[in-house]
Amino acid sequence: QICKGINGLDKVVLRDVRGSSVEVYLYGAHVTSWKNEHGEELLFVSSKAIFKPPKAIRGGIPICFPQFSNLGPLEAHGFARNRFWIIDPSPPPFPVNSSNKTYVDLLLKPTEDDMKIWPHSFEFRLRVTLGPAGDLMLTSRIRNTNSDGKPFTFTFAYHTYFSVSDISEIRVEGLETLDYLDNLQSRQRFTEQGDAITFESEVDKIYLSTPTKIAILDHEKKRTFVIRKDGLPDAVVWNPWDKKAKSMADFGDDEYKHMLCIEAAAIEKPITLKPGEEWRGRQELSAVPSSYCSGQ
Ligand code: BG6
């Protein structure tokens, strides 16, 4: 189950009988591959990604915790994405009726050094599950294990990079008419107009209190990604476009055309946990053949 990935980093590969698979690095508990039963890669990972600590892997599904972006004193997107997680050798079982699944549980607990930058004790359990239909489920359980009686507060995101045929042809449904904070305009609040989201320039927006289902329609690949989320009210939409792409050392100049980040997140209302309390945030991804034809 565990094997060596790029630069000798450990990774776990989950496979199901129909041929779909998921690959997760212990470094960052970072999903770097999700393939359907035809062996097609559904996630984007940059050809320039640096698989070397402390750099987070560019692509796949970075975990942003305990801070989204630079909305606080910690490094951008927090530290969970550049720590080494461990595998739980005896994870708790699934609820009844859901035995037909392949999964791995990864655990993160803070080191003494971590507690110097974020003085809280926690246990973070990430369950990565490959469902029978090739769906990818990520369930995070974060527990406050502080013994000093203190609560802690965090923000969170599954920073999923979807692989798309051509960003200019993509439509995102489920975010129309919502309020968002625009990271490119000092996080001012705006309201989205009534149409599906399309892309023609850099975008970096935090959509607030979204529906639990968001769809990415890729007409050229005849594929629709469906994101279902629970405990994660917000959704970030990010594409760096050409200029920003060129400024990133671990991202190819033209790769922005073939990726789109939709990030199930809890940002606007940070989560507070008292000692002993646990928070759960879940995202379920499926990729379904679509018969969608734009305007036809
Ligand atoms: C997005 C943020 O979630 O992540 C962007 O909204 C940011 O502002 C992007 O540029 C990438 O972040 P990083 O730290 O992985 O380069």
Side-chain angles (χ1 to χ4, degrees), residues 55-58 62 64 68-69 76-77 81 157 159 161 183 187 204-206 236-238 244 248 250 261 263:
K55 187 77 188 153
I57 299 165
R58 175 68 64 197
C64 304
F68 175 75
S69 190
H77 290 326
R81 64 175 179 164
H159 195 311
Y161 288 74
N183 282 326
R187 297 212 171 93
D204 190 354
K205 296 177 177 174
I206 306 170
V236 181
V237 177
W238 182 63
K244 179 122 193 245
M248 294 192 288
D250 61 345
C261 287
E263 310 168 34

Side-chain angles (χ1 to χ4, degrees), residues 31-262:
V31 174
T32 53
S33 171
W34 170 38
K35 289 183 179 162
N36 65 14
E37 59 194 47
H38 308 296
E40 293 164 336
E41 183 56 67
L42 303 170
L43 297 178
F44 165 87
V45 175
S46 172
S47 60
K48 299 202 165 173
I50 298 164
F51 286 69
K52 201 170 172 199
K55 187 77 188 153
I57 299 165
R58 175 68 64 197
I61 313 182
I63 302 286
C64 304
F65 171 84
Q67 174 188 296
F68 175 75
S69 190
N70 54 4
L71 292 167
L74 302 179
E75 61 193 285
H77 290 326
F79 52 79
R81 64 175 179 164
N82 59 12
R83 291 294 184 274
F84 283 93
W85 295 51
I86 57 165
I87 297 177
D88 184 351
S90 46
F94 261 104
V96 200
N97 294 334
S98 52
S99 55
N100 187 19
K101 287 177 180 166
T102 314
Y103 67 95
V104 63
D105 276 22
L106 299 179
L107 294 174
L108 181 69
K109 291 177 189 174
T111 62
E112 275 180 22
D113 281 347
D114 293 336
M115 291 187 66
K116 283 180 196 151
I117 56 168
W118 201 62
H120 303 293
S121 179
F122 64 88
E123 184 189 87
F124 188 151
R125 173 182 297 275
L126 175 73
R127 177 162 296 184
V128 180
T129 305
L130 183 59
D135 299 348
L136 169 60
M137 275 85 82
L138 297 181
T139 306
S140 288
R141 288 190 168 83
I142 297 169
R143 176 177 289 276
N144 181 336
T145 52
N146 271 337
S147 54
D148 59 6
K150 288 196 182 136
F152 63 63
T153 297
F154 64 89
T155 47
F156 180 95
Y158 291 116
H159 195 311
T160 309
Y161 288 74
F162 292 93
S163 170
V164 299
S165 55
D166 174 357
I167 186 68
S168 306
E169 302 292 323
I170 298 300
R171 289 160 57 94
V172 174
E173 292 182 355
L175 303 175
E176 48 277 10
T177 75
L178 297 180
D179 280 6
Y180 63 87
L181 308 178
D182 194 338
N183 282 326
L184 302 178
Q185 297 189 64
S186 321
R187 297 212 171 93
Q188 285 181 74
R189 195 175 179 121
F190 298 95
T191 303
E192 193 58 72
Q193 300 308 309
D195 288 329
I197 316 288
T198 54
F199 301 90
E200 53 190 29
S201 58
E202 182 181 0
V203 56
D204 190 354
K205 296 177 177 174
I206 306 170
Y207 288 88
L208 306 172
S209 303
T210 82
T212 54
K213 182 179 162 193
I214 298 168
I216 304 171
L217 289 79
D218 189 335
H219 175 49
E220 206 172 304
K221 280 205 176 143
K222 297 193 170 48
R223 175 184 295 148
T224 298
F225 288 110
V226 179
I227 305 161
R228 290 189 179 81
K229 57 198 183 79
D230 184 34
L232 298 161
D234 307 320
V236 181
V237 177
W238 182 63
N239 183 294
W241 222 255
D242 54 349
K243 209 163 138 228
K244 179 122 193 245
K246 288 198 175 84
S247 73
M248 294 192 288
D250 61 345
F251 192 91
D253 290 358
D254 286 331
E255 287 182 332
Y256 73 92
K257 293 176 183 165
H258 305 298
M259 54 72 68
L260 175 62
C261 287
I262 305 277

Side-chain angles (χ1 to χ4, degrees), residues 11-22:
K11 65 178 184 182
V12 177
V13 182
L14 305 176
R15 292 179 204 284
D16 84 349
V17 284
R18 293 213 219 155
S20 46
S21 65
V22 171

